[in-house]
Amino acid sequence: MLKVGLTGGIGSGKSAVASRLAALGAVVVDSDRIAREVVAPGTDGLAEVVAAFSDRVLGGDGALDRAALGALVFGDEAARRRLEAITHPRVRARAAELVAAAPADAVVVNDVPLLVEVGLAPTYHLVLVVQTAVPIRLARLSRDRGMDPAEAERRIAAQADDARRQAAADVLLTNDGTLADLHGAVDDLWRDRLLPYERNVRERHPVRPDRSTLAEPDPTWPEQYARLAARIRHVAGADLRVDHVGSTAVPGLAAPDVIDIQLTVPSLAEADGPLADRLAEAGFPRLPGEWWDAPRRADRVHWAKRMHAGADPGRPVLLHLRAAGSAGWRHALLMRDHLRADPARRSAYLQVKRDLVAAAPESAEQGTLADPWFDEEHLRAEEWATRTGWRP
């Protein structure tokens, strides 16, 4: 199944997005609703909350007085953490039960207000953030919830700010307009990205990136890499090295809009084991066939590797699995760092790439493998490494 994390600040309209996705067919797991369930009257969760904060947090009917509890924990970091230690494990366990009960071909949307704050982003195939200007959020909280302006400001300040949430977002939905505008954006996302992404993950179908066009440098490429790398580390293990390589790893360099990532494995046998399945389940299925890097040494022995690609139709990714210390592994890191360090070589590299794309767009990547300029550049990079003491 496809797992989508949905979040947004209080008053952003996140619930409206969740409702629309549910109407389209998503299985929505609402963390706020679960949070209420785990502290309902008669639960051990409520008993533990009362033990921690006294019966001041109970209403006359014996149910949790959420306003009273909120007044105690908002603005008090220690109190908030005590509450989270009680509720978060219970919410996670119940959410896991609901996800496990969803159909195998479901798009499961976890509606999690504090997704960014508690570091859950890498556990999802995609993170969707709803973002709304703060004055609009304040007005909505006053109009729709009757919230005092000062209390609304405190609630907003207690959550992650827009910049932090945006850094975690694979998809950013701006909700400053009408409900119809928001529904239209959600409908497009469902049709064009979520449904095909779910199918690709279920069928382990990699999306082959188009490398025939050079895009202008995108300053968000490093941020996009960081989100992808976090997902890869989550399933591969923190002890395996992950690097941003290729043209999009070089600032200011026009490149095909493809994020190239290198995952360092102890050996290619390791790449062929359970790791391949874990990567596929996380949205990075293996590309079929034999793969290698063009050798840049006199012996011309192929530099074998394993290749995976992203299943997300909205974000082209190539994941290169190379053995630690191998020639291809070293070359990928060396070329990246040499181009980062030398503007003249960067310009020359870009001109060669432009010429290859202009001459034969469909075979430009193969041209990169065969063009003698890249052999010469490898020698220059090795000389630079020796001169500067570079190490991978």
Side-chain angles (χ1 to χ4, degrees), residues 209-229:
D210 175 14
R211 287 185 174 270
S212 64
T213 303
L214 295 181
E216 290 305 307
D218 184 341
T220 71
W221 279 334
E223 295 174 8
Q224 295 180 54
Y225 156 75
R227 291 192 292 270
L228 295 161

Side-chain angles (χ1 to χ4, degrees), residues 341-359:
D342 191 331
R345 301 321 310 157
R346 216 161 41 234
S347 298
Y349 173 84
L350 179 57
Q351 187 57 56
V352 171
K353 293 286 281 189
R354 289 193 189 281
D355 291 345
L356 289 171
V357 169

Side-chain angles (χ1 to χ4, degrees), residues 244-275:
H244 190 186
V245 296
S247 300
T248 58
V250 181
L253 189 64
D257 187 19
V258 180
I259 304 296
D260 283 278
I261 301 174
Q262 177 169 276
L263 175 60
T264 303
V265 292
S267 69
L268 293 185
E270 177 82 10
D272 293 333
L275 175 60

Side-chain angles (χ1 to χ4, degrees), residues 1-2 100-107 198 202:
M1 63 185 67
L2 188 75
D105 61 350
V107 175
E198 183 281 320
R202 176 165 37 90

Side-chain angles (χ1 to χ4, degrees), residues 69 125 127 149 152 176 187 239 252 264 277 301 333 339 348:
L69 179 61
H125 292 101
V127 171
D176 292 338
D187 292 354
D239 56 326
T264 303
D277 290 329
V301 174
L333 299 170
L339 292 175

Side-chain angles (χ1 to χ4, degrees), residues 23-287:
L24 291 168
V27 174
V28 176
V29 178
D30 186 337
S31 292
D32 266 347
R33 182 177 301 170
I34 297 172
R36 290 190 291 273
E37 290 176 1
V38 300
V39 291
T43 62
D44 61 350
L46 180 58
E48 195 168 341
V49 169
V50 172
F53 297 99
S54 83
D55 57 9
R56 289 180 297 167
V57 299
L58 291 177
D61 58 356
L64 182 66
D65 184 337
R66 300 180 69 84
L69 179 61
L72 288 175
V73 302
F74 279 105
D76 184 334
E77 180 73 10
R80 182 176 64 82
R81 290 190 180 278
R82 283 201 306 276
L83 177 62
E84 290 173 352
I86 297 169
T87 60
H88 284 187
R90 291 175 169 85
V91 171
R92 285 196 295 268
R94 179 57 180 154
E97 291 177 359
L98 294 173
V99 171
D105 61 350
V107 175
V108 177
V109 177
N110 282 78
D111 181 348
V112 186
L114 299 180
L115 182 151
V116 174
E117 289 86 339
V118 297
L120 292 177
T123 67
Y124 299 102
H125 292 101
L126 190 98
V127 171
L128 171 58
V129 172
V130 187
Q131 183 167 290
T132 305
V134 170
I136 296 176
R137 292 165 63 189
L138 290 170
R140 287 175 181 166
L141 292 171
S142 175
R143 181 193 67 213
D144 300 336
R145 305 193 193 184
M147 194 175 290
D148 176 82
E151 177 64 12
E153 289 180 356
R154 283 196 297 272
R155 295 290 185 98
I156 289 174
Q159 296 181 333
D161 60 22
D162 285 346
R164 189 175 167 197
R165 271 191 293 266
Q166 187 170 338
D170 299 291
V171 177
L172 189 68
L173 284 178
T174 301
N175 183 28
D176 292 338
T178 67
L179 184 61
D181 293 336
L182 182 65
H183 283 177
V186 173
D187 292 354
D188 290 346
L189 174 68
W190 177 261
R191 181 189 64 245
D192 298 336
R193 192 164 183 180
L194 297 185
L195 286 181
Y197 194 179
E198 183 281 320
R199 184 174 59 252
N200 289 344
V201 170
R202 176 165 37 90
E203 297 177 355
R204 299 198 170 187
H205 174 70
V207 178
R208 291 179 178 266
D210 175 14
R211 287 185 174 270
S212 64
T213 303
L214 295 181
E216 290 305 307
D218 184 341
T220 71
W221 279 334
E223 295 174 8
Q224 295 180 54
Y225 156 75
R227 291 192 292 270
L228 295 161
R231 289 192 183 103
I232 292 166
R233 290 190 186 96
H234 179 70
V235 297
D239 56 326
L240 294 186
R241 176 173 171 174
V242 182
D243 288 281
H244 190 186
V245 296
S247 300
T248 58
V250 181
L253 189 64
D257 187 19
V258 180
I259 304 296
D260 283 278
I261 301 174
Q262 177 169 276
L263 175 60
T264 303
V265 292
S267 69
L268 293 185
E270 177 82 10
D272 293 333
L275 175 60
D277 290 329
R278 296 201 303 271
L279 289 171
E281 291 167 3
F284 305 95
R286 175 170 285 187
L287 280 166

